[in-house]
Every structure is written in C-alpha cells, then in structure tokens.
Coordinates of all heavy atoms in Angstrom, one line a residue:
M1 N 51.8 -38.8 54.1 CA 52.4 -39.3 52.9 C 52.2 -40.8 52.7 O 52.3 -41.6 53.6 CB 54.0 -39.0 53.0 CG 54.7 -39.6 51.9 SD 56.5 -39.3 52.2 CE 57.0 -39.0 50.5
L2 N 51.7 -41.2 51.5 CA 51.4 -42.6 51.3 C 52.7 -43.3 50.9 O 53.5 -42.9 50.2 CB 50.4 -42.7 50.1 CG 49.0 -42.3 50.3 CD1 48.2 -42.4 49.0 CD2 48.4 -43.2 51.3
T3 N 52.8 -44.5 51.5 CA 53.9 -45.3 51.2 C 53.5 -46.3 50.1 O 52.3 -46.4 49.7 CB 54.4 -46.1 52.4 OG1 53.3 -47.0 52.8 CG2 54.7 -45.2 53.6
D4 N 54.5 -47.1 49.5 CA 54.1 -48.1 48.5 C 53.2 -49.1 49.1 O 52.3 -49.6 48.4 CB 55.4 -48.7 48.0 CG 56.2 -47.8 47.1 OD1 55.6 -46.8 46.6 OD2 57.4 -48.1 46.9
M5 N 53.3 -49.5 50.4 CA 52.5 -50.5 51.0 C 51.0 -49.9 51.1 O 50.1 -50.7 50.9 CB 53.0 -50.8 52.4 CG 54.3 -51.7 52.4 SD 54.1 -53.2 51.5 CE 53.1 -54.1 52.7
D6 N 50.9 -48.7 51.5 CA 49.6 -48.1 51.5 C 48.9 -48.1 50.2 O 47.7 -48.4 50.0 CB 49.6 -46.6 52.1 CG 50.0 -46.6 53.5 OD1 49.8 -47.5 54.3 OD2 50.6 -45.5 53.9
D7 N 49.7 -47.7 49.1 CA 49.2 -47.7 47.8 C 48.8 -49.1 47.3 O 47.7 -49.3 46.7 CB 50.2 -47.1 46.8 CG 49.7 -46.8 45.5 OD1 48.5 -46.4 45.4 OD2 50.4 -47.1 44.5
A8 N 49.6 -50.1 47.6 CA 49.3 -51.5 47.2 C 48.1 -52.0 48.0 O 47.2 -52.6 47.4 CB 50.5 -52.4 47.5
A9 N 47.9 -51.6 49.3 CA 46.8 -52.1 50.0 C 45.5 -51.4 49.5 O 44.5 -52.1 49.4 CB 46.9 -51.7 51.5
G10 N 45.6 -50.2 49.1 CA 44.4 -49.5 48.5 C 44.0 -50.1 47.2 O 42.8 -50.3 46.9
R11 N 45.0 -50.4 46.4 CA 44.7 -51.1 45.1 C 44.1 -52.4 45.3 O 43.2 -52.8 44.6 CB 46.0 -51.1 44.2 CG 46.3 -49.8 43.6 CD 47.5 -49.9 42.7 NE 48.7 -50.2 43.6 CZ 49.9 -50.6 43.1 NH1 50.1 -50.6 41.9 NH2 50.8 -50.9 44.0
L12 N 44.6 -53.2 46.2 CA 44.1 -54.5 46.5 C 42.7 -54.4 47.0 O 41.8 -55.2 46.6 CB 45.0 -55.2 47.6 CG 44.5 -56.6 47.9 CD1 44.5 -57.5 46.7 CD2 45.5 -57.2 49.0
E13 N 42.4 -53.5 47.8 CA 41.0 -53.3 48.3 C 40.1 -52.9 47.2 O 39.0 -53.4 47.1 CB 41.0 -52.1 49.4 CG 39.8 -52.1 50.2 CD 40.0 -51.1 51.3 OE1 40.9 -51.2 52.1 OE2 39.1 -50.2 51.4
A14 N 40.5 -52.1 46.3 CA 39.7 -51.7 45.1 C 39.5 -52.9 44.2 O 38.4 -53.1 43.7 CB 40.4 -50.5 44.3
L15 N 40.5 -53.7 44.0 CA 40.4 -54.9 43.1 C 39.4 -55.9 43.8 O 38.6 -56.5 43.1 CB 41.7 -55.5 42.8 CG 42.6 -54.7 41.9 CD1 44.0 -55.3 41.8 CD2 42.0 -54.7 40.5
T16 N 39.5 -56.1 45.1 CA 38.7 -57.0 45.8 C 37.2 -56.5 45.6 O 36.3 -57.4 45.4 CB 39.1 -57.1 47.2 OG1 40.4 -57.5 47.3 CG2 38.2 -58.0 48.0
A17 N 37.0 -55.3 45.8 CA 35.6 -54.7 45.6 C 35.1 -55.0 44.2 O 34.0 -55.3 44.0 CB 35.6 -53.3 46.0
Q18 N 36.0 -54.8 43.2 CA 35.6 -55.0 41.8 C 35.3 -56.4 41.5 O 34.3 -56.7 40.9 CB 36.7 -54.5 40.9 CG 36.4 -54.6 39.4 CD 35.2 -53.7 39.0 OE1 35.2 -52.5 39.3 NE2 34.2 -54.2 38.3
V19 N 36.0 -57.4 42.1 CA 35.8 -58.8 41.9 C 34.4 -59.2 42.5 O 33.6 -59.9 41.9 CB 36.9 -59.7 42.5 CG1 36.5 -61.1 42.6 CG2 38.2 -59.5 41.7
H20 N 34.1 -58.7 43.7 CA 32.9 -58.9 44.4 C 31.7 -58.4 43.5 O 30.7 -59.1 43.4 CB 32.8 -58.4 45.8 CG 33.6 -59.1 46.8 ND1 33.3 -60.4 47.2 CD2 34.8 -58.9 47.4 CE1 34.1 -60.9 48.1 NE2 35.1 -59.9 48.2
H21 N 31.9 -57.2 43.0 CA 30.9 -56.6 42.2 C 30.7 -57.5 40.9 O 29.5 -57.8 40.5 CB 31.2 -55.2 41.8 CG 30.3 -54.6 40.8 ND1 30.5 -54.6 39.4 CD2 29.1 -54.0 41.0 CE1 29.5 -54.1 38.8 NE2 28.6 -53.6 39.7
D22 N 31.8 -57.8 40.2 CA 31.7 -58.6 39.0 C 31.0 -60.0 39.3 O 30.1 -60.4 38.5 CB 33.0 -58.9 38.4 CG 33.7 -57.6 37.9 OD1 33.0 -56.6 37.8 OD2 34.9 -57.6 37.6
L23 N 31.3 -60.6 40.3 CA 30.7 -61.9 40.7 C 29.2 -61.8 41.0 O 28.4 -62.6 40.6 CB 31.5 -62.6 41.8 CG 32.9 -63.1 41.5 CD1 33.5 -63.7 42.8 CD2 32.8 -64.2 40.4
S24 N 28.9 -60.7 41.6 CA 27.5 -60.5 42.0 C 26.6 -60.3 40.7 O 25.5 -60.6 40.7 CB 27.3 -59.4 43.0 OG 27.5 -58.1 42.4
T25 N 27.2 -59.6 39.7 CA 26.4 -59.4 38.5 C 26.4 -60.6 37.6 O 25.5 -60.8 36.8 CB 27.1 -58.2 37.6 OG1 28.4 -58.6 37.3 CG2 27.0 -56.9 38.4
M26 N 27.3 -61.6 37.8 CA 27.2 -62.8 37.1 C 26.2 -63.8 37.6 O 25.7 -64.7 36.9 CB 28.6 -63.5 37.1 CG 29.6 -62.8 36.3 SD 31.3 -63.4 36.4 CE 31.1 -65.2 36.6
V27 N 25.7 -63.7 38.8 CA 24.8 -64.6 39.4 C 23.4 -64.0 39.2 O 22.8 -63.3 40.0 CB 25.1 -64.7 40.9 CG1 24.1 -65.7 41.6 CG2 26.5 -65.1 41.2
F28 N 22.8 -64.4 38.0 CA 21.5 -63.9 37.7 C 20.4 -64.8 37.9 O 19.3 -64.4 37.8 CB 21.5 -63.3 36.2 CG 22.0 -64.3 35.2 CD1 21.2 -65.2 34.6 CD2 23.3 -64.2 34.8 CE1 21.6 -66.1 33.7 CE2 23.8 -65.1 33.8 CZ 22.9 -66.0 33.3
A29 N 20.6 -66.1 38.2 CA 19.6 -67.0 38.5 C 19.6 -67.2 40.0 O 20.5 -67.7 40.6 CB 19.8 -68.4 37.8
T30 N 18.6 -66.7 40.7 CA 18.6 -66.7 42.2 C 18.0 -68.0 42.7 O 18.1 -68.3 43.9 CB 17.8 -65.5 42.7 OG1 16.5 -65.5 42.2 CG2 18.5 -64.2 42.3
K31 N 17.2 -68.8 42.0 CA 16.6 -70.0 42.5 C 16.4 -71.0 41.3 O 16.4 -70.5 40.1 CB 15.3 -69.8 43.2 CG 14.3 -69.1 42.3 CD 13.1 -68.8 43.2 CE 12.1 -67.9 42.3 NZ 11.0 -67.5 43.1
P32 N 16.4 -72.3 41.6 CA 16.2 -73.2 40.5 C 14.8 -73.0 39.8 O 13.8 -72.6 40.4 CB 16.1 -74.6 41.2 CG 16.8 -74.4 42.5 CD 16.6 -72.9 42.9
W33 N 14.8 -73.1 38.4 CA 13.6 -72.9 37.7 C 13.1 -74.1 36.9 O 12.1 -74.0 36.2 CB 13.8 -71.7 36.7 CG 14.9 -71.8 35.8 CD1 16.2 -71.4 36.0 CD2 14.9 -72.4 34.5 NE1 17.0 -71.7 34.9 CE2 16.2 -72.3 33.9 CE3 13.9 -73.0 33.7 CZ2 16.5 -72.8 32.7 CZ3 14.3 -73.5 32.4 CH2 15.6 -73.3 32.0
V34 N 13.8 -75.2 37.1 CA 13.4 -76.5 36.4 C 12.6 -77.3 37.4 O 13.1 -77.5 38.5 CB 14.6 -77.2 35.9 CG1 14.2 -78.5 35.3 CG2 15.4 -76.4 34.9
F35 N 11.4 -77.8 37.0 CA 10.6 -78.6 37.9 C 11.2 -79.9 38.1 O 11.6 -80.6 37.1 CB 9.2 -78.7 37.4 CG 8.5 -77.4 37.3 CD1 8.2 -76.8 36.1 CD2 8.1 -76.7 38.5 CE1 7.5 -75.6 36.0 CE2 7.4 -75.5 38.4 CZ 7.1 -75.0 37.2
P36 N 11.4 -80.4 39.3 CA 12.0 -81.8 39.5 C 11.0 -82.9 39.0 O 9.8 -82.8 39.2 CB 12.2 -81.8 41.0 CG 11.2 -80.8 41.6 CD 11.0 -79.8 40.6
L37 N 11.6 -83.9 38.4 CA 10.9 -85.0 37.9 C 11.4 -86.2 38.7 O 12.6 -86.3 39.0 CB 11.2 -85.2 36.4 CG 10.7 -84.1 35.5 CD1 11.1 -84.4 34.0 CD2 9.2 -84.0 35.5
S38 N 10.5 -87.2 38.8 CA 10.9 -88.5 39.5 C 10.3 -89.6 38.7 O 9.3 -89.5 38.0 CB 10.4 -88.5 40.9 OG 9.0 -88.4 41.0
H39 N 11.0 -90.7 38.9 CA 10.6 -92.0 38.2 C 10.7 -93.1 39.3 O 11.8 -93.3 39.8 CB 11.4 -92.3 37.0 CG 11.1 -93.6 36.3 ND1 9.9 -93.8 35.6 CD2 11.8 -94.8 36.3 CE1 9.9 -95.0 35.1 NE2 11.0 -95.6 35.5
E40 N 9.5 -93.7 39.6 CA 9.5 -94.8 40.6 C 10.1 -94.4 41.9 O 10.9 -95.1 42.5 CB 10.2 -96.1 40.0 CG 9.5 -96.7 38.8 CD 10.2 -97.9 38.3 OE1 11.2 -98.3 38.8 OE2 9.7 -98.5 37.3
G41 N 9.8 -93.1 42.3 CA 10.2 -92.6 43.6 C 11.6 -92.0 43.6 O 12.1 -91.5 44.6
Q42 N 12.4 -92.1 42.5 CA 13.7 -91.5 42.5 C 13.7 -90.2 41.7 O 13.2 -90.2 40.6 CB 14.7 -92.5 41.8 CG 15.3 -93.5 42.8 CD 16.6 -94.0 42.3 OE1 16.7 -94.5 41.1 NE2 17.6 -93.9 43.1
V43 N 14.4 -89.2 42.2 CA 14.5 -87.9 41.5 C 15.4 -88.1 40.3 O 16.5 -88.6 40.5 CB 15.0 -86.8 42.5 CG1 15.2 -85.5 41.7 CG2 14.0 -86.6 43.6
M44 N 15.0 -87.6 39.2 CA 15.8 -87.8 38.0 C 16.6 -86.5 37.8 O 16.1 -85.4 38.0 CB 14.8 -88.0 36.7 CG 13.9 -89.2 36.9 SD 14.8 -90.7 37.1 CE 15.6 -90.9 35.5
P45 N 17.8 -86.6 37.3 CA 18.6 -85.4 37.0 C 18.0 -84.6 35.8 O 17.4 -85.2 34.9 CB 20.0 -85.9 36.7 CG 19.8 -87.3 36.4 CD 18.6 -87.8 37.0
D46 N 18.1 -83.3 35.9 CA 17.6 -82.5 34.8 C 18.6 -82.6 33.6 O 18.1 -82.5 32.4 CB 17.5 -81.0 35.2 CG 16.5 -80.8 36.3 OD1 15.5 -81.5 36.3 OD2 16.8 -80.0 37.3
V47 N 19.9 -82.7 33.9 CA 20.9 -82.8 32.8 C 22.0 -83.8 33.3 O 22.3 -83.8 34.4 CB 21.6 -81.4 32.6 CG1 22.7 -81.5 31.6 CG2 20.6 -80.3 32.2
V48 N 22.4 -84.6 32.3 CA 23.5 -85.5 32.6 C 24.6 -85.1 31.6 O 24.4 -85.1 30.4 CB 23.2 -87.0 32.4 CG1 24.4 -87.9 32.5 CG2 22.1 -87.4 33.4
I49 N 25.8 -84.8 32.1 CA 26.9 -84.4 31.3 C 27.9 -85.5 31.3 O 28.3 -86.0 32.3 CB 27.6 -83.1 31.8 CG1 26.6 -81.9 31.7 CG2 28.9 -82.8 31.0 CD1 27.1 -80.7 32.4
I50 N 28.3 -86.0 30.1 CA 29.2 -87.1 29.9 C 30.6 -86.4 29.8 O 30.9 -85.8 28.8 CB 28.9 -88.0 28.8 CG1 27.5 -88.4 28.8 CG2 29.9 -89.2 28.7 CD1 27.1 -89.3 30.0
G51 N 31.5 -86.6 30.7 CA 32.9 -86.1 30.7 C 33.1 -84.9 31.6 O 32.4 -83.9 31.5
A52 N 34.0 -85.1 32.6 CA 34.2 -84.1 33.6 C 35.5 -83.3 33.3 O 36.2 -82.9 34.2 CB 34.3 -84.7 35.0
G53 N 35.8 -83.1 32.0 CA 37.0 -82.3 31.6 C 36.6 -80.9 31.6 O 35.6 -80.5 32.2
Q54 N 37.4 -80.1 31.0 CA 37.2 -78.6 31.0 C 35.8 -78.3 30.4 O 35.1 -77.5 31.0 CB 38.2 -77.9 30.1 CG 39.5 -77.6 30.8 CD 40.5 -76.8 30.0 OE1 40.8 -77.3 28.9 NE2 41.0 -75.7 30.4
S55 N 35.4 -78.9 29.3 CA 34.1 -78.5 28.7 C 33.0 -79.0 29.6 O 32.0 -78.2 29.7 CB 34.0 -79.2 27.3 OG 35.0 -78.6 26.5
G56 N 33.0 -80.2 30.1 CA 32.0 -80.7 30.9 C 31.8 -79.9 32.2 O 30.7 -79.5 32.6
L57 N 32.9 -79.5 32.8 CA 32.8 -78.7 34.0 C 32.3 -77.3 33.7 O 31.5 -76.7 34.5 CB 34.2 -78.6 34.8 CG 34.6 -80.0 35.3 CD1 36.0 -79.8 35.9 CD2 33.7 -80.5 36.3
A58 N 32.8 -76.7 32.6 CA 32.3 -75.4 32.2 C 30.8 -75.4 31.9 O 30.1 -74.5 32.3 CB 33.1 -74.9 31.0
A59 N 30.3 -76.4 31.3 CA 28.9 -76.6 31.0 C 28.1 -76.7 32.3 O 27.0 -76.0 32.4 CB 28.6 -77.8 30.1
A60 N 28.6 -77.5 33.2 CA 27.9 -77.6 34.5 C 27.8 -76.3 35.2 O 26.8 -75.9 35.8 CB 28.6 -78.7 35.3
F61 N 29.0 -75.6 35.2 CA 29.0 -74.3 35.9 C 28.0 -73.3 35.3 O 27.3 -72.6 36.0 CB 30.4 -73.7 35.8 CG 30.6 -72.3 36.4 CD1 30.5 -72.1 37.7 CD2 30.7 -71.2 35.5 CE1 30.7 -70.8 38.2 CE2 30.8 -69.9 36.0 CZ 30.8 -69.7 37.4
E62 N 28.0 -73.2 34.0 CA 27.0 -72.3 33.3 C 25.6 -72.7 33.6 O 24.7 -71.8 33.8 CB 27.3 -72.3 31.8 CG 26.5 -71.2 31.1 CD 26.8 -69.8 31.5 OE1 27.9 -69.5 32.0 OE2 25.8 -69.0 31.3
L63 N 25.3 -74.0 33.6 CA 23.9 -74.4 33.9 C 23.6 -74.0 35.3 O 22.4 -73.5 35.6 CB 23.8 -75.9 33.8 CG 23.7 -76.4 32.3 CD1 23.9 -78.0 32.3 CD2 22.4 -76.1 31.7
K64 N 24.5 -74.2 36.3 CA 24.2 -73.8 37.7 C 23.9 -72.2 37.7 O 23.0 -71.8 38.5 CB 25.4 -74.2 38.6 CG 25.1 -73.8 40.0 CD 26.2 -74.3 40.9 CE 25.8 -74.0 42.4 NZ 26.7 -74.5 43.3
R65 N 24.7 -71.5 37.0 CA 24.5 -70.0 37.0 C 23.1 -69.7 36.5 O 22.6 -68.6 36.9 CB 25.6 -69.3 36.1 CG 26.9 -69.2 36.8 CD 27.9 -68.4 35.9 NE 27.3 -67.1 35.6 CZ 27.3 -66.5 34.4 NH1 28.0 -67.1 33.4 NH2 26.8 -65.4 34.2
R66 N 22.6 -70.5 35.6 CA 21.3 -70.2 35.0 C 20.1 -70.8 35.7 O 19.0 -70.8 35.3 CB 21.3 -70.6 33.5 CG 22.3 -69.8 32.7 CD 22.3 -70.2 31.3 NE 23.2 -69.3 30.5 CZ 22.9 -68.2 29.9 NH1 21.6 -67.7 30.0 NH2 23.8 -67.5 29.3
G67 N 20.4 -71.5 36.9 CA 19.4 -72.0 37.7 C 19.1 -73.5 37.5 O 18.1 -74.0 38.1
V68 N 19.8 -74.2 36.7 CA 19.7 -75.6 36.5 C 20.7 -76.3 37.5 O 21.9 -76.4 37.2 CB 19.9 -76.0 35.1 CG1 19.7 -77.5 34.9 CG2 19.0 -75.2 34.1
T69 N 20.2 -76.7 38.6 CA 21.1 -77.2 39.7 C 21.2 -78.7 39.8 O 22.0 -79.2 40.5 CB 20.7 -76.6 41.0 OG1 19.4 -76.9 41.3 CG2 20.9 -75.0 41.0
N70 N 20.2 -79.4 39.3 CA 20.1 -80.9 39.4 C 20.9 -81.5 38.2 O 20.3 -82.0 37.3 CB 18.7 -81.3 39.5 CG 18.6 -82.8 39.8 OD1 19.5 -83.5 40.1 ND2 17.4 -83.3 39.6
V71 N 22.2 -81.4 38.3 CA 23.1 -81.8 37.1 C 24.0 -82.9 37.7 O 24.5 -82.8 38.8 CB 23.9 -80.6 36.6 CG1 24.9 -81.1 35.5 CG2 23.0 -79.5 36.1
V72 N 24.1 -84.0 36.8 CA 25.0 -85.1 37.1 C 26.2 -85.0 36.1 O 25.9 -84.9 34.9 CB 24.3 -86.4 37.1 CG1 25.3 -87.6 37.3 CG2 23.3 -86.5 38.2
I73 N 27.4 -85.1 36.5 CA 28.6 -85.1 35.6 C 29.2 -86.5 35.8 O 29.6 -86.9 36.9 CB 29.6 -84.1 36.0 CG1 28.9 -82.7 36.0 CG2 30.7 -84.1 35.0 CD1 29.8 -81.6 36.6
L74 N 29.3 -87.2 34.6 CA 29.9 -88.6 34.6 C 31.2 -88.5 34.0 O 31.4 -87.8 33.0 CB 29.0 -89.5 33.9 CG 27.5 -89.7 34.4 CD1 26.7 -90.6 33.5 CD2 27.5 -90.2 35.9
D75 N 32.2 -89.3 34.5 CA 33.5 -89.3 33.9 C 34.0 -90.7 34.0 O 33.8 -91.4 35.0 CB 34.5 -88.4 34.7 CG 35.7 -88.1 33.9 OD1 35.7 -87.2 33.0 OD2 36.7 -88.8 34.2
A76 N 34.8 -91.2 33.0 CA 35.2 -92.6 33.0 C 36.5 -92.8 33.9 O 36.8 -93.9 34.3 CB 35.6 -93.0 31.5
S77 N 37.1 -91.7 34.3 CA 38.3 -91.9 35.1 C 37.9 -92.3 36.5 O 36.9 -92.0 37.0 CB 39.1 -90.6 35.2 OG 39.5 -90.2 33.9
R78 N 38.9 -93.0 37.2 CA 38.6 -93.4 38.6 C 38.6 -92.1 39.5 O 39.2 -91.1 39.1 CB 39.5 -94.4 39.0 CG 41.0 -94.0 39.2 CD 41.8 -95.2 39.7 NE 43.1 -94.8 40.2 CZ 44.2 -94.7 39.5 NH1 44.1 -95.0 38.2 NH2 45.3 -94.3 40.0
E79 N 38.0 -92.3 40.6 CA 37.8 -91.1 41.5 C 39.2 -90.6 41.9 O 40.2 -91.3 42.2 CB 37.1 -91.6 42.8 CG 36.8 -90.4 43.7 CD 36.0 -90.9 44.9 OE1 35.4 -92.0 44.9 OE2 35.9 -90.1 45.9
G80 N 39.3 -89.2 41.8 CA 40.5 -88.6 42.1 C 41.4 -88.3 40.9 O 42.4 -87.6 41.0
F81 N 41.0 -88.9 39.8 CA 41.8 -88.7 38.5 C 40.9 -88.1 37.4 O 41.2 -88.2 36.3 CB 42.4 -90.0 38.1 CG 43.5 -90.5 38.9 CD1 43.2 -91.3 40.1 CD2 44.8 -90.1 38.7 CE1 44.3 -91.7 40.9 CE2 45.9 -90.5 39.5 CZ 45.6 -91.3 40.6
E82 N 39.8 -87.5 37.8 CA 38.9 -86.8 36.9 C 39.6 -85.5 36.4 O 40.4 -84.9 37.1 CB 37.6 -86.5 37.5 CG 36.9 -87.6 38.1 CD 37.2 -87.7 39.6 OE1 38.2 -87.2 40.1 OE2 36.4 -88.4 40.3
G83 N 39.1 -85.0 35.2 CA 39.6 -83.7 34.8 C 40.8 -83.9 33.8 O 41.5 -84.8 33.8
V84 N 40.9 -82.8 33.0 CA 41.9 -82.8 32.0 C 43.4 -82.7 32.5 O 44.3 -83.3 31.9 CB 41.6 -81.7 30.9 CG1 41.8 -80.4 31.5 CG2 42.5 -81.9 29.7
W85 N 43.6 -82.0 33.5 CA 45.0 -81.7 33.9 C 45.7 -82.9 34.5 O 46.8 -83.1 34.3 CB 45.0 -80.5 34.9 CG 44.4 -79.3 34.3 CD1 43.3 -78.6 34.7 CD2 44.9 -78.6 33.1 NE1 43.1 -77.6 33.8 CE2 44.1 -77.5 32.9 CE3 46.0 -78.8 32.3 CZ2 44.2 -76.6 31.8 CZ3 46.2 -77.9 31.3 CH2 45.3 -76.8 31.0
V86 N 45.0 -83.7 35.3 CA 45.6 -84.9 35.9 C 46.0 -85.9 34.8 O 47.1 -86.4 34.9 CB 44.6 -85.6 36.9 CG1 45.2 -86.9 37.4 CG2 44.3 -84.6 38.0
L87 N 45.2 -86.1 33.8 CA 45.5 -87.1 32.8 C 46.6 -86.6 31.9 O 47.6 -87.4 31.7 CB 44.3 -87.4 32.0 CG 43.1 -88.1 32.7 CD1 41.9 -88.2 31.8 CD2 43.5 -89.4 33.2
I88 N 46.6 -85.4 31.4 CA 47.6 -84.9 30.5 C 49.0 -84.8 31.3 O 50.0 -85.2 30.7 CB 47.2 -83.6 29.9 CG1 46.1 -83.9 28.9 CG2 48.3 -82.9 29.2 CD1 45.5 -82.6 28.3
A89 N 48.9 -84.4 32.5 CA 50.2 -84.2 33.2 C 50.9 -85.5 33.5 O 52.1 -85.5 33.7 CB 49.9 -83.4 34.5
T90 N 50.1 -86.6 33.6 CA 50.7 -87.9 34.0 C 51.0 -88.8 32.8 O 51.5 -89.9 33.0 CB 49.8 -88.6 35.0 OG1 48.6 -88.8 34.4 CG2 49.7 -87.8 36.3
E91 N 50.6 -88.4 31.6 CA 50.7 -89.3 30.5 C 52.2 -89.5 30.0 O 52.5 -90.4 29.4 CB 49.9 -88.9 29.3 CG 48.4 -89.2 29.5 CD 47.6 -88.8 28.3 OE1 47.8 -87.7 27.8 OE2 46.7 -89.5 28.0
N92 N 53.0 -88.5 30.2 CA 54.4 -88.5 29.7 C 55.2 -89.4 30.5 O 55.5 -89.6 31.5 CB 55.0 -87.1 29.7 CG 54.2 -86.3 28.6 OD1 53.8 -86.8 27.7 ND2 54.1 -85.0 28.9

C-alpha cells in the first residue's frame, strides 16, 4: 500500500526527471560559434551589455544558450548592489 510520502516522493522524482529533460532540450548550443577577435594583444568581447538588471541578465543568458560566451555585462551600481531587486528593495 502506497503512503502519502511514497506518492510525494514518486511525484518529486518524476518532476525532477522532467526538469532535467526540459533543461537538456534548452541547451542547443554545444560550443562557442563566434570567432574570437583581439586588438593589440587583448581579446575583445563579442557583446557588451550595458545594464545588469533583469533585461541585461536575460539577454546575457540567452546569448550564452546560443553559443555566444564572450559577453561582458556592465552596470553603474557598485559591486554587490547590481541588479534590479537590490535597488528597488532599498529605495523606500
């Protein structure tokens, strides 16, 4: 006879398997496809994103998923205070 704990454990196991499957299907770029460029001996970023809020981080994540890995994200906030949630939560 199955108990509620057995049922919950089975559902958790099934959900975990589904999450692993979903994440594996989202990773469709298996290696970088942008050729690295350099200037005066320094490697240049492929993309520079201005702003490390929700949109900037989402753009960087999507670029990484598509194989563009040499991305720099710049933010005006001091270190440790980047991102939308820290600023909005502390403004009041």
Side-chain angles (χ1 to χ4, degrees):
M1 173 182 220
L2 287 177
T3 66
D4 287 341
M5 290 299 287
D6 292 332
D7 189 40
R11 284 183 294 174
L12 180 59
E13 196 172 306
L15 286 172
T16 300
Q18 183 65 48
V19 167
H20 285 290
H21 174 266
D22 292 348
L23 289 174
S24 71
T25 60
M26 289 173 32
V27 181
F28 51 86
T30 58
K31 59 185 173 184
W33 56 270
V34 179
F35 296 110
L37 297 176
S38 62
H39 178 71
E40 296 179 0
Q42 275 202 307
V43 176
M44 303 300 293
D46 297 321
V47 177
V48 176
I49 297 173
I50 309 299
Q54 273 181 309
S55 297
L57 294 175
F61 175 73
E62 186 62 25
L63 286 167
K64 183 174 181 176
R65 283 187 53 223
R66 294 180 180 268
V68 182
T69 58
N70 187 11
V71 177
V72 173
I73 306 170
L74 303 175
D75 194 85
S77 299
R78 68 181 195 268
E79 186 174 345
F81 289 88
E82 307 92 338
V84 66
W85 300 116
V86 173
L87 294 177
I88 290 176
T90 59
E91 284 183 320
N92 294 327

